Amino acid sequence: MAMTAETRAPGRPRSEDADRAILDATIDSLVTDGFSGTTMAGIARAAGVSTATLYRRWSCLTEVVVAALARLRSTMEPPDTGSLDGDLRELARMLVQRLTRTRETALLSALIDQTRRDPDLALAISTSVFGPTRQAIGDMFRRGVVRGEVDPDVDVDLAIDLVLAPMYLRGLATGRRYRPADADRLAALVLRAVART
C-alpha cells in the first residue's frame, strides 16, 4: 500500500534539527579526531541525541560519514555561466576558497587516509559524494562541446581530473595552497587543453 499523508508510518516524525546536529557532529569529529577517532557513540553524544536515535537514521559509521559529506558537497554546485571559460574560472575560484580552509583540508586528509584501508568507504564516497560532483563538472565540458568551445574528442573524465587533481595534489602532497590568483591561471590552462582548434 502506498504511503500517503493519511497513512504515515507510526511514531514521531524525523527531526531535521537532530539530523543537522548529527551530521555537523560527524564532520567535527572527523576534523578533530580523524576517522579512527570517530565513533557512533561519540557522534551521538556530541549531537545531543541517543545512540538509538542515531542508529534509526544510519546503521553504521560509513553511512553517517557519507551522509555528512554529501551534505557538504551540496553546498558547492559547479557553475553554469554560459561559457566554459566562465565556468572553469568560477569553479577554480570555488575550489581555491574551499581548500584554503584548514578545516576542509583536515577533513580531506582524514578521509583519504581511511579510504586507502577501507574499500567499502572509498566506494561509498566515490559514488555518493564525488560522483555527483564529477557528473556536474563533466556537464560543464559537455555544454562546451555543444557550444563549439571544446574539442568533441576530448576525454571528459580526464578533463575533470585536470581541474580537480592539481588542487588536491598541491594541498595534500606538498602542503602548499593555491592562492585566489592561481584559480584563473589554472582555468586558462585547462581551457587551452580542451579547446577546439
Side-chain angles (χ1 to χ4, degrees):
M1 178 175 162
M3 184 75 73
T4 67
E6 290 75 26
T7 60
R8 185 177 296 153
R12 290 182 298 178
R14 181 163 164 163
S15 165
E16 290 184 11
D17 288 341
D19 285 357
R20 189 162 41 250
I22 289 167
L23 298 179
D24 286 345
T26 302
I27 296 298
D28 288 344
S29 182
L30 288 169
V31 169
T32 58
D33 307 318
F35 195 94
S36 61
T38 299
T39 65
M40 295 291 272
I43 291 169
R45 186 168 52 253
V49 301
S50 68
T51 53
T53 295
L54 178 55
Y55 277 106
R56 275 197 298 271
R57 288 159 166 77
W58 296 282
S59 65
C60 65
L61 182 59
T62 294
E63 286 186 5
V64 70
V65 166
V66 169
L69 294 173
R71 192 178 68 137
L72 278 184
R73 182 202 62 80
S74 69
T75 66
M76 195 195 81
E77 289 298 326
D80 183 359
T81 65
S83 74
L84 183 61
D85 179 52
D87 288 352
L88 286 171
R89 290 178 190 277
E90 285 300 311
L91 177 62
R93 290 168 187 161
M94 289 165 63
L95 288 169
V96 165
Q97 184 179 38
R98 174 155 280 193
L99 291 173
T100 51
R101 300 174 191 157
T102 303
R103 179 180 171 84
E104 301 281 346
T105 304
L107 175 61
L108 192 60
S109 296
L111 291 170
I112 287 177
D113 183 54
Q114 182 62 25
T115 54
R116 290 189 186 114
R117 296 189 293 269
D118 186 341
D120 290 337
L121 177 66
L123 179 61
I125 290 175
S126 175
T127 302
S128 301
V129 181
F130 293 125
T133 296
R134 289 183 65 88
Q135 176 65 38
I137 296 172
D139 288 343
M140 285 173 33
F141 288 106
R142 285 182 278 272
R143 290 193 300 268
V145 170
V146 171
R147 289 190 297 255
E149 301 167 303
V150 175
D151 187 327
D153 294 327
V154 160
D155 183 325
V156 172
D157 280 338
L158 187 57
I160 296 168
D161 291 340
L162 286 175
V163 177
L164 296 177
M167 296 282 192
Y168 293 112
L169 181 64
R170 178 182 283 191
L172 295 173
T174 71
R176 295 168 55 212
R177 295 181 181 176
Y178 273 95
R179 298 165 299 169
D182 295 325
D184 286 348
R185 287 196 288 271
L186 176 62
L189 285 172
V190 174
L191 185 63
R192 282 204 295 273
V194 302
R196 187 168 192 166
T197 56

